[in-house]
PDB file of all heavy atoms in Angstrom:
ATOM      1  N   GLY A  32      36.521  24.042 -38.963  1.00 96.00           N
ATOM      2  CA  GLY A  32      36.032  25.383 -38.650  1.00 96.00           C
ATOM      3  C   GLY A  32      35.064  25.487 -37.497  1.00 96.00           C
ATOM      4  O   GLY A  32      34.445  26.541 -37.311  1.00 96.00           O
ATOM      5  N   ALA A  33      34.908  24.451 -36.691  1.00 97.00           N
ATOM      6  CA  ALA A  33      34.056  24.549 -35.508  1.00 97.00           C
ATOM      7  C   ALA A  33      34.723  25.438 -34.459  1.00 97.00           C
ATOM      8  O   ALA A  33      35.944  25.611 -34.447  1.00 97.00           O
ATOM      9  CB  ALA A  33      33.797  23.157 -34.927  1.00 97.00           C
ATOM     10  N   SER A  34      33.915  25.994 -33.569  1.00 97.00           N
ATOM     11  CA  SER A  34      34.472  26.741 -32.445  1.00 97.00           C
ATOM     12  C   SER A  34      35.293  25.791 -31.574  1.00 97.00           C
ATOM     13  O   SER A  34      34.953  24.608 -31.433  1.00 97.00           O
ATOM     14  CB  SER A  34      33.338  27.351 -31.614  1.00 97.00           C
ATOM     15  OG  SER A  34      33.852  28.024 -30.483  1.00 97.00           O
ATOM     16  N   GLY A  35      36.388  26.317 -31.002  1.00 98.00           N
ATOM     17  CA  GLY A  35      37.225  25.475 -30.151  1.00 98.00           C
ATOM     18  C   GLY A  35      38.660  25.385 -30.618  1.00 98.00           C
ATOM     19  O   GLY A  35      39.332  24.375 -30.418  1.00 98.00           O
ATOM     20  N   ALA A  36      39.155  26.465 -31.228  1.00 98.00           N
ATOM     21  CA  ALA A  36      40.541  26.482 -31.699  1.00 98.00           C
ATOM     22  C   ALA A  36      41.524  26.233 -30.561  1.00 98.00           C
ATOM     23  O   ALA A  36      42.613  25.699 -30.773  1.00 98.00           O
ATOM     24  CB  ALA A  36      40.850  27.812 -32.380  1.00 98.00           C
ATOM     25  N   ILE A  37      41.134  26.590 -29.350  1.00 98.00           N
ATOM     26  CA  ILE A  37      42.028  26.416 -28.202  1.00 98.00           C
ATOM     27  C   ILE A  37      42.384  24.948 -28.002  1.00 98.00           C
ATOM     28  O   ILE A  37      43.502  24.627 -27.572  1.00 98.00           O
ATOM     29  CB  ILE A  37      41.403  27.015 -26.923  1.00 98.00           C
ATOM     30  CG1 ILE A  37      42.441  27.055 -25.796  1.00 98.00           C
ATOM     31  CG2 ILE A  37      40.150  26.240 -26.504  1.00 98.00           C
ATOM     32  CD1 ILE A  37      41.982  27.831 -24.576  1.00 98.00           C
ATOM     33  N   GLN A  66      40.269  31.111 -39.775  1.00 97.00           N
ATOM     34  CA  GLN A  66      39.477  32.278 -39.406  1.00 97.00           C
ATOM     35  C   GLN A  66      38.991  32.178 -37.966  1.00 97.00           C
ATOM     36  O   GLN A  66      39.059  33.160 -37.204  1.00 97.00           O
ATOM     37  CB  GLN A  66      38.279  32.418 -40.354  1.00 97.00           C
ATOM     38  CG  GLN A  66      37.419  33.642 -40.084  1.00 97.00           C
ATOM     39  CD  GLN A  66      36.277  33.775 -41.069  1.00 97.00           C
ATOM     40  OE1 GLN A  66      36.098  32.936 -41.945  1.00 97.00           O
ATOM     41  NE2 GLN A  66      35.500  34.829 -40.936  1.00 97.00           N
ATOM     42  N   VAL A  67      38.503  31.003 -37.578  1.00 98.00           N
ATOM     43  CA  VAL A  67      38.036  30.814 -36.203  1.00 98.00           C
ATOM     44  C   VAL A  67      39.185  30.986 -35.218  1.00 98.00           C
ATOM     45  O   VAL A  67      39.025  31.595 -34.156  1.00 98.00           O
ATOM     46  CB  VAL A  67      37.378  29.423 -36.048  1.00 98.00           C
ATOM     47  CG1 VAL A  67      37.085  29.131 -34.584  1.00 98.00           C
ATOM     48  CG2 VAL A  67      36.103  29.344 -36.864  1.00 98.00           C
ATOM     49  N   TRP A  68      40.368  30.452 -35.555  1.00 98.00           N
ATOM     50  CA  TRP A  68      41.551  30.601 -34.700  1.00 98.00           C
ATOM     51  C   TRP A  68      41.831  32.081 -34.462  1.00 98.00           C
ATOM     52  O   TRP A  68      42.067  32.504 -33.320  1.00 98.00           O
ATOM     53  CB  TRP A  68      42.734  29.915 -35.361  1.00 98.00           C
ATOM     54  CG  TRP A  68      44.013  29.891 -34.572  1.00 98.00           C
ATOM     55  CD1 TRP A  68      44.731  30.974 -34.116  1.00 98.00           C
ATOM     56  CD2 TRP A  68      44.747  28.731 -34.139  1.00 98.00           C
ATOM     57  NE1 TRP A  68      45.858  30.576 -33.450  1.00 98.00           N
ATOM     58  CE2 TRP A  68      45.898  29.202 -33.436  1.00 98.00           C
ATOM     59  CE3 TRP A  68      44.571  27.370 -34.293  1.00 98.00           C
ATOM     60  CZ2 TRP A  68      46.844  28.331 -32.891  1.00 98.00           C
ATOM     61  CZ3 TRP A  68      45.513  26.498 -33.754  1.00 98.00           C
ATOM     62  CH2 TRP A  68      46.628  26.980 -33.058  1.00 98.00           C
ATOM     63  N   GLN A  69      41.825  32.858 -35.518  1.00 98.00           N
ATOM     64  CA  GLN A  69      42.109  34.292 -35.400  1.00 98.00           C
ATOM     65  C   GLN A  69      41.071  35.001 -34.541  1.00 98.00           C
ATOM     66  O   GLN A  69      41.410  35.859 -33.716  1.00 98.00           O
ATOM     67  CB  GLN A  69      42.165  34.923 -36.793  1.00 98.00           C
ATOM     68  CG  GLN A  69      43.344  34.435 -37.638  1.00 98.00           C
ATOM     69  CD  GLN A  69      43.191  34.782 -39.108  1.00 98.00           C
ATOM     70  OE1 GLN A  69      42.344  35.588 -39.488  1.00 98.00           O
ATOM     71  NE2 GLN A  69      44.011  34.160 -39.957  1.00 98.00           N
ATOM     72  N   VAL A  70      39.813  34.650 -34.708  1.00 98.00           N
ATOM     73  CA  VAL A  70      38.735  35.284 -33.942  1.00 98.00           C
ATOM     74  C   VAL A  70      38.802  34.902 -32.467  1.00 98.00           C
ATOM     75  O   VAL A  70      38.685  35.757 -31.579  1.00 98.00           O
ATOM     76  CB  VAL A  70      37.359  34.901 -34.532  1.00 98.00           C
ATOM     77  CG1 VAL A  70      36.233  35.340 -33.594  1.00 98.00           C
ATOM     78  CG2 VAL A  70      37.176  35.532 -35.900  1.00 98.00           C
ATOM     79  N   GLU A  71      39.003  33.611 -32.189  1.00 98.00           N
ATOM     80  CA  GLU A  71      38.929  33.131 -30.811  1.00 98.00           C
ATOM     81  C   GLU A  71      40.211  33.349 -30.023  1.00 98.00           C
ATOM     82  O   GLU A  71      40.162  33.591 -28.810  1.00 98.00           O
ATOM     83  CB  GLU A  71      38.576  31.639 -30.805  1.00 98.00           C
ATOM     84  CG  GLU A  71      37.170  31.357 -31.336  1.00 98.00           C
ATOM     85  CD  GLU A  71      36.777  29.899 -31.222  1.00 98.00           C
ATOM     86  OE1 GLU A  71      37.662  29.045 -30.982  1.00 98.00           O
ATOM     87  OE2 GLU A  71      35.582  29.610 -31.393  1.00 98.00           O
ATOM     88  N   LEU A  72      41.357  33.277 -30.696  1.00 98.00           N
ATOM     89  CA  LEU A  72      42.641  33.365 -29.981  1.00 98.00           C
ATOM     90  C   LEU A  72      43.382  34.675 -30.240  1.00 98.00           C
ATOM     91  O   LEU A  72      44.434  34.912 -29.649  1.00 98.00           O
ATOM     92  CB  LEU A  72      43.530  32.183 -30.363  1.00 98.00           C
ATOM     93  CG  LEU A  72      42.934  30.787 -30.094  1.00 98.00           C
ATOM     94  CD1 LEU A  72      43.903  29.695 -30.516  1.00 98.00           C
ATOM     95  CD2 LEU A  72      42.557  30.631 -28.626  1.00 98.00           C
ATOM     96  N   ASP A  73      42.844  35.503 -31.145  1.00 97.00           N
ATOM     97  CA  ASP A  73      43.434  36.817 -31.448  1.00 97.00           C
ATOM     98  C   ASP A  73      44.875  36.724 -31.932  1.00 97.00           C
ATOM     99  O   ASP A  73      45.708  37.587 -31.611  1.00 97.00           O
ATOM    100  CB  ASP A  73      43.363  37.736 -30.218  1.00 97.00           C
ATOM    101  CG  ASP A  73      41.945  38.170 -29.906  1.00 97.00           C
ATOM    102  OD1 ASP A  73      41.174  38.414 -30.846  1.00 97.00           O
ATOM    103  OD2 ASP A  73      41.606  38.260 -28.706  1.00 97.00           O
ATOM    104  N   ASN A  74      45.185  35.681 -32.667  1.00 97.00           N
ATOM    105  CA  ASN A  74      46.532  35.574 -33.227  1.00 97.00           C
ATOM    106  C   ASN A  74      46.503  34.632 -34.421  1.00 97.00           C
ATOM    107  O   ASN A  74      45.472  34.033 -34.740  1.00 97.00           O
ATOM    108  CB  ASN A  74      47.538  35.088 -32.163  1.00 97.00           C
ATOM    109  CG  ASN A  74      47.217  33.700 -31.641  1.00 97.00           C
ATOM    110  OD1 ASN A  74      47.122  32.733 -32.407  1.00 97.00           O
ATOM    111  ND2 ASN A  74      47.029  33.576 -30.331  1.00 97.00           N
ATOM    112  N   PRO A 108      39.029  21.045 -33.458  1.00 98.00           N
ATOM    113  CA  PRO A 108      37.683  20.557 -33.156  1.00 98.00           C
ATOM    114  C   PRO A 108      37.061  19.958 -34.408  1.00 98.00           C
ATOM    115  O   PRO A 108      37.452  20.288 -35.518  1.00 98.00           O
ATOM    116  CB  PRO A 108      36.954  21.833 -32.715  1.00 98.00           C
ATOM    117  CG  PRO A 108      37.659  22.930 -33.469  1.00 98.00           C
ATOM    118  CD  PRO A 108      39.103  22.526 -33.550  1.00 98.00           C
ATOM    119  N   ARG A 145      32.451  19.315 -31.574  1.00 96.00           N
ATOM    120  CA  ARG A 145      32.224  20.599 -30.913  1.00 96.00           C
ATOM    121  C   ARG A 145      30.965  21.252 -31.467  1.00 96.00           C
ATOM    122  O   ARG A 145      31.002  21.949 -32.478  1.00 96.00           O
ATOM    123  CB  ARG A 145      33.439  21.511 -31.140  1.00 96.00           C
ATOM    124  CG  ARG A 145      33.972  22.291 -29.962  1.00 96.00           C
ATOM    125  CD  ARG A 145      32.974  23.011 -29.167  1.00 96.00           C
ATOM    126  NE  ARG A 145      32.142  23.917 -29.943  1.00 96.00           N
ATOM    127  CZ  ARG A 145      31.041  24.479 -29.490  1.00 96.00           C
ATOM    128  NH1 ARG A 145      30.596  24.215 -28.283  1.00 96.00           N
ATOM    129  NH2 ARG A 145      30.347  25.301 -30.272  1.00 96.00           N
TER     130      ARG A 145
END
Side-chain angles (χ1 to χ4, degrees):
S34 177
I37 190 171
Q66 182 178 2
V67 171
W68 184 300
Q69 293 165 13
V70 170
E71 294 185 346
L72 302 180
D73 290 323
N74 62 57
R145 224 312 305 167

